Amino acid sequence: MLISRNWLLELVEFELNDTELGETLTLIGLEIDGVHENGDDMIFDIEVTSNRGDCLSHLGVARELAAFTGKIVKFPSGLEDAPVSSGLVTLESNDVCRRFTARIISGVTVGPSPDWLVRKLELVGERSINNIADITNLVMHELGQPMHAFDLDSLAEQRVVIRNARRGEKVVTLDEVERDLTESMIVICDAEKPVSIGGIMGGLHSGITEESKNVLLEVAYFERDSIRETSRELGLSTEASYRFERGVDIENLVRASNRAAYLIAELAGGTPSEFAESYPEIIQCRTIEAKGLSGDVKRLSGLDIPSERLDSILSGLGIEEEQPGVYTSPTWRHDLSIPEDLVEEVVRINGYDKIGESLPVALMAGEYHSNEDRKRKLRSTLSVLGFDEAISYSFVDVGATARFEVIGNGDDVIIRDPIIEGASLMRPTLIQGLLDGVRYNLNHKEKNLRFFEIGRSFLKSDDFLPEETELLSLAISGREQSRGTAVLGREYDYFDLKGVVERALEACGAEGLEFAVNDSIKHLQPGQSAEIIYEGTRIGTIGKLSGTLASEYKFKQSVFVAEINLSAVLSTPARVSSYRPLAIYPAIQRDVTMVVPDSVGYKEIHEATVAANASHYNGVEYVGSYEGEGVPENFKAVTIRLEYRADDKTLTDEDADLAHKVILEKYRKRFEAEFR
């Protein structure tokens, strides 16, 4: 927003040079984006944050300077009169339009504005239109209150009605565009039809022209949310809507109307006559209870500000102490509601540069979330396994649910006003973000990739807020590579990722995962996909990316992905690891190749091995399987490696043979296995 130094000087006296003025504005929170000289004036381009709508005018900035310098704000000249009862205004939508004023100014002469008015508007980036329109723009930049001037004679029955638009209604705005109205929009109408979109833009056919003789000056207060919604729905942002969206001062309406009427009478020869307003429910100043405010300032900022200085700062900002420890915020400050807001105001005006470097004393010790230790172990394990942690956007395109198997139940969470073009969906899965990272790296010639991400997915729920689920997602692609060497090994496969998942979840206290074949997982390749099951519940999926998705991402090498419901895993107690001393005696290994039905999986073989309860048994490992020549149809040859060890002696071959015989007998009885 552009602010003129000379214009500020009309509202508050200060003795700051241009450099000091810029530094002061920045220090009190009005950051300077740019400065340029214009004749004998200096123009400051100020960045105003969205919560400080009160600073979108010269008056607002003057108030801040007055509070900082201890000066008094001088209000510009205006009419001084009282509202007159009249049938000029009918307010039907007082939940959106909380206050409405209308003033009739008769006998105006519409024409060019005087040079001083044209120059003032040019300084703040406005072009001159005619003296009436220019005055409304001048007052908006001066006092921060948008207003609109209607040609009174163009209004049916010469009165206005403020209501919600009706279905099918339209209005042609001043930019000569016909706008379709919805029932949520507030409109200003004459006795027959809409003539303006409230808080946004006036209508073309009721605007001031060179033939206009009588003016109806409208100054109103509209609710911020309603104007913001209407502006977005119409795709129409104006100087007026920009201010209404951030909040104007409801007690400034009459002052702004008086100021504009005064200027119209002076510059256009009009005679102010009838004035009316509708203010059904008086809006009270917000009350803030902040007992011990001086102590709060000390605690939060480290500054020891005398109570006299504190009271002076607050009073200069329009914040009054009604009774000890109870303050009222002015009607132009919509951002003040809690004691910490008052602390910020005091510190801001006193000067952030006066805050020391020491940290405030901690009143309590911090602690990790109950599951944070398990997640730290998970991250550490994956890092040791050569994985890099990825952090992707929480916004994805609308095709995510159709392409990926989603953990959880619920519809997509649609973003009404996406900040990234094309990304209008809160992510229901983390896999899409990981695959974007894989594609980016492959395109930059990085071929051997191991990524993981821990983050939240979002799905609609019965509650107002979406259901959030914490997920662990992994992706691998390329070839394995030993650390410190340039020699690449074999390509990664399903079992590499399966082993990573098992080891990672073991690290955070989840053991005994099961993997059940499932060929219907939409983003995975049939024959190389499975469900991950923990304690009888499906917690995720794992497998090779489907050919359809691989083609969509233009992957020329295999990519394997897994996604796990980490919330479900962490909701179960961690398995307690018991201590075992390192073995000091050697082990004996026996390889077994047996022919079993092809329906027998390694899980069943492992269960049978443990159930045999053989002495000195120390573990079993899958080696490989074979189907083909020499093996009967519907059967397969499976090779496993059994290990035997004693804790108190070195085993002999005879000891191992006895234990081995027990396990083989178990295989023979359970699977009708034949050994080779």
Side-chain angles (χ1 to χ4, degrees):
M1 184 187 65
L2 299 180
I3 291 292
S4 158
R5 177 200 61 201
N6 292 346
W7 202 340
L8 281 178
L9 282 168
E10 296 175 10
L11 300 172
V12 60
E13 295 179 357
F14 55 84
E15 299 174 355
L16 304 171
N17 61 38
D18 293 332
T19 300
E20 292 170 339
L21 177 58
E23 291 174 350
T24 298
L25 291 174
T26 299
L27 186 65
I28 60 179
L30 300 174
E31 185 177 351
I32 304 299
D33 279 350
V35 181
H36 68 271
E37 190 173 355
N38 192 319
D40 64 344
D41 203 351
M42 191 66 70
I43 307 301
F44 295 87
D45 188 355
I46 297 178
E47 177 68 26
V48 179
T49 55
S50 59
N51 66 322
R52 293 302 306 272
D54 62 294
C55 289
L56 292 173
S57 67
H58 284 74
L59 174 62
V61 177
R63 280 198 187 106
E64 296 290 296
L65 282 174
F68 186 82
T69 60
K71 302 293 185 179
I72 302 297
V73 174
K74 299 181 298 182
F75 291 99
S77 301
L79 293 179
E80 296 296 338
D81 60 358
V84 177
S85 177
S86 169
L88 184 63
V89 173
T90 302
L91 178 57
E92 296 181 1
S93 298
N94 57 7
D95 57 333
V96 174
C97 181
R98 306 294 295 275
R99 187 179 189 183
F100 191 94
T101 73
R103 184 191 299 273
I104 294 176
I105 305 170
S106 306
V108 301
T109 301
V110 179
S113 296
D115 291 344
W116 68 265
L117 177 53
V118 174
R119 174 163 172 73
K120 266 196 170 183
L121 292 177
E122 288 176 345
L123 290 175
V124 293
E126 293 277 4
R127 65 180 182 86
S128 176
I129 302 173
N130 57 55
N131 51 2
I132 305 298
D134 290 353
I135 288 169
T136 61
N137 285 331
L138 176 83
V139 175
M140 179 178 66
H141 284 277
E142 185 175 61
L143 302 182
Q145 174 63 52
M147 58 183 61
H148 184 66
F150 293 94
D151 184 333
L152 178 65
D153 298 320
S154 70
L155 303 178
E157 299 183 14
Q158 295 191 345
R159 63 186 182 92
V160 290
V161 179
I162 302 91
R163 60 171 173 80
N164 285 86
R166 294 166 184 153
R167 183 175 299 179
E169 285 187 321
K170 303 176 185 289
V171 65
V172 179
T173 47
L174 288 171
D175 55 1
E176 301 183 6
V177 176
E178 186 177 65
R179 309 282 180 178
D180 294 320
L181 305 176
T182 65
E183 294 167 319
S184 64
M185 298 177 183
I186 192 78
V187 289
I188 300 169
C189 311
D190 59 15
E192 300 173 352
K193 61 188 179 303
V195 293
S196 174
I197 304 175
I200 307 290
M201 184 179 285
L204 179 64
H205 303 303
S206 61
I208 299 297
T209 66
E210 293 181 357
E211 289 75 30
S212 299
K213 298 300 180 185
N214 302 303
V215 171
L216 185 146
L217 182 65
E218 166 254 314
V219 187
Y221 178 93
F222 298 102
E223 283 294 332
R224 290 175 287 174
D225 292 344
S226 174
I227 299 302
R228 187 180 300 113
E229 182 179 344
T230 300
S231 177
R232 290 181 181 178
E233 193 168 348
L234 293 174
L236 180 60
S237 179
T238 62
E239 290 283 351
S241 67
Y242 185 77
R243 286 164 172 79
F244 280 123
E245 287 175 16
R246 287 153 180 80
V248 299
D249 180 8
I250 197 167
E251 294 300 325
N252 194 36
L253 271 61
V254 174
R255 179 189 292 123
S257 179
N258 288 342
R259 173 63 170 163
Y262 171 83
L263 291 172
I264 291 174
E266 185 177 84
L267 303 181
T271 302
S273 56
E274 191 174 356
F275 179 92
E277 78 164 334
S278 179
Y279 193 3
E281 183 179 353
I282 305 297
I283 295 180
Q284 303 296 332
C285 294
R286 184 183 287 115
T287 300
I288 304 172
E289 186 172 335
K291 295 181 179 179
L293 182 58
S294 182
D296 289 341
V297 171
K298 173 70 173 176
R299 176 174 58 87
L300 294 173
S301 70
L303 295 173
D304 192 3
I305 300 177
S307 58
E308 296 79 8
R309 170 64 174 158
L310 186 147
D311 293 340
S312 174
I313 291 174
L314 293 178
S315 178
L317 292 169
I319 303 168
E320 300 295 340
E321 188 174 16
E322 294 297 312
Q323 52 183 293
V326 179
Y327 298 83
T328 56
S329 65
T331 53
W332 61 83
R333 291 299 300 271
H334 301 274
D335 59 317
L336 303 180
S337 59
I338 58 177
E340 288 76 8
D341 292 333
L342 301 186
V343 172
E344 182 180 7
E345 292 302 296
V346 171
V347 174
R348 180 173 65 87
I349 298 300
N350 188 68
Y352 288 124
D353 57 325
K354 295 183 176 66
I355 298 177
E357 296 181 356
S358 60
L359 293 174
V361 177
L363 300 179
M364 62 185 70
E367 63 180 23
Y368 287 122
H369 186 273
S370 58
N371 284 320
E372 188 61 31
D373 185 57
R374 296 173 72 179
K375 287 193 283 186
R376 286 162 67 90
K377 291 178 180 178
L378 177 63
R379 285 187 168 93
S380 177
T381 300
L382 288 169
S383 178
V384 169
L385 293 173
F387 278 73
D388 295 309
E389 184 170 5
I391 301 176
S392 58
Y393 289 116
S394 297
F395 315 123
V396 296
D397 64 69
V398 294
T401 309
R403 293 179 293 171
F404 297 95
E405 189 89 7
V406 172
I407 291 176
N409 298 311
D411 296 330
D412 293 337
V413 179
I414 306 296
I415 303 171
R416 292 173 57 186
D417 186 22
I419 60 175
I420 302 175
E421 185 177 357
S424 58
L425 190 73
M426 294 295 290
R427 65 184 181 192
T429 173
L430 273 60
I431 295 178
Q432 183 171 358
L434 277 186
L435 293 180
D436 289 339
V438 169
R439 175 169 56 188
Y440 179 86
N441 280 270
L442 291 177
N443 289 342
H444 287 77
K445 310 302 180 185
E446 292 291 335
K447 303 296 184 184
N448 305 308
L449 307 171
R450 287 188 169 208
F451 293 142
F452 80 93
E453 180 172 6
I454 296 174
R456 294 183 179 273
S457 66
F458 305 87
L459 291 171
K460 275 188 179 178
S461 68
D462 294 335
D463 297 329
F464 174 74
L465 295 175
E467 178 183 348
E468 300 183 27
T469 304
E470 191 160 29
L471 303 178
L472 165 66
S473 294
L474 306 101
I476 63 173
S477 183
R479 296 176 177 272
E480 63 180 10
Q481 181 176 357
S482 300
R483 292 185 180 274
T485 69
V487 179
L488 295 177
R490 60 176 179 79
E491 289 187 0
Y492 293 131
D493 59 22
Y494 166 86
F495 296 102
D496 289 300
L497 188 55
K498 176 177 177 287
V500 167
V501 169
E502 290 175 318
R503 186 163 173 189
L505 292 189
E506 283 176 7
C508 65
E511 299 179 355
L513 297 181
E514 299 178 17
F515 296 82
V517 174
N518 185 337
D519 291 340
S520 62
I521 301 172
K522 64 176 69 173
H523 64 276
L524 299 180
Q525 184 73 26
Q528 296 194 52
S529 58
E531 299 175 345
I532 305 173
I533 299 172
Y534 178 58
E535 296 190 344
T537 303
R538 171 177 166 163
I539 63 167
T541 59
I542 182 173
K544 181 180 179 181
L545 193 68
S546 69
T548 302
L549 272 176
S551 298
E552 180 181 325
Y553 280 91
K554 299 181 180 179
F555 292 152
K556 296 181 180 179
Q557 60 189 50
S558 298
V559 176
F560 297 87
V561 296
E563 186 156 76
I564 297 153
N565 185 339
L566 196 57
S567 294
V569 173
L570 297 179
S571 66
T572 60
R575 302 287 178 86
V576 179
S577 299
S578 57
Y579 169 76
R580 280 185 65 184
L582 294 175
I584 60 175
Y585 296 103
I588 294 177
Q589 294 180 338
R590 294 280 193 269
D591 285 356
V592 177
T593 299
M594 56 184 172
V595 177
V596 296
D598 58 11
S599 61
V600 176
Y602 174 69
K603 175 186 173 185
E604 296 171 278
I605 295 174
H606 181 271
E607 290 174 348
T609 307
V610 174
N613 198 25
S615 60
H616 308 308
Y617 164 73
N618 195 57
V620 60
E621 179 183 349
Y622 173 80
V623 177
S625 60
Y626 169 75
E627 296 180 54
E629 186 177 352
V631 178
E633 188 176 355
N634 298 325
F635 284 80
K636 62 184 176 183
V638 179
T639 300
I640 59 173
R641 181 166 295 143
L642 295 162
E643 184 175 278
Y644 305 93
R645 188 197 304 273
D647 294 332
D648 56 352
K649 66 176 183 178
T650 299
L651 288 182
T652 64
D653 285 339
E654 290 76 11
D655 294 330
D657 289 342
L658 288 174
H660 194 57
K661 184 177 180 180
V662 173
I663 293 177
L664 295 185
E665 186 61 26
K666 186 70 173 181
Y667 293 159
R668 187 176 287 110
K669 287 182 178 180
R670 182 162 176 176
F671 308 125
E672 298 182 353
E674 295 183 4
F675 301 98
R676 296 189 174 184

